[in-house]
Amino acid sequence: MTALGQNEIEMLRAIKATHGGWRPWNGFAGRAERMAKDGLIIKAGITAMPPHVCYVITEAGEKVLAELEH
């Protein structure tokens, strides 16, 4: 797994807060793809607005986030 930077941590928090339907902002789609490859988030569907993919946090992502917040 790649090391998480502050942006990735904020992305995990945003995804967890929305309970799904989160879309990457400001060109963070590449980071979201890397996080999906690492198993922290999964593609959950498509949206009408770009970047057209929404994500949800996985159990692994929630575990990483919980460890970071303690």
Side-chain angles (χ1 to χ4, degrees), residues 4-6 11 13 16 23 26 29 31-33 35-36 42 51 53-55 57 60 63 70:
L4 297 180
Q6 188 60 37
M11 289 167 68
R13 287 180 179 142
K16 185 175 181 179
R23 294 181 302 115
N26 295 335
R31 291 178 191 203
E33 285 296 316
M35 292 171 67
I42 58 171
V53 178
C54 60
Y55 296 87
I57 193 167
K63 182 178 178 183
H70 288 293

Side-chain angles (χ1 to χ4, degrees), residues 3-50:
L4 297 180
Q6 188 60 37
N7 288 327
E8 286 82 4
I9 294 167
E10 291 302 318
M11 289 167 68
L12 284 177
R13 287 180 179 142
I15 295 167
K16 185 175 181 179
T18 61
H19 302 288
W22 177 87
R23 294 181 302 115
W25 63 91
N26 295 335
F28 282 27
R31 291 178 191 203
E33 285 296 316
R34 285 192 299 277
M35 292 171 67
K37 286 180 184 176
D38 288 341
L40 301 176
I41 60 178
I42 58 171
K43 291 181 181 180
I46 59 171
T47 65
M49 295 176 57

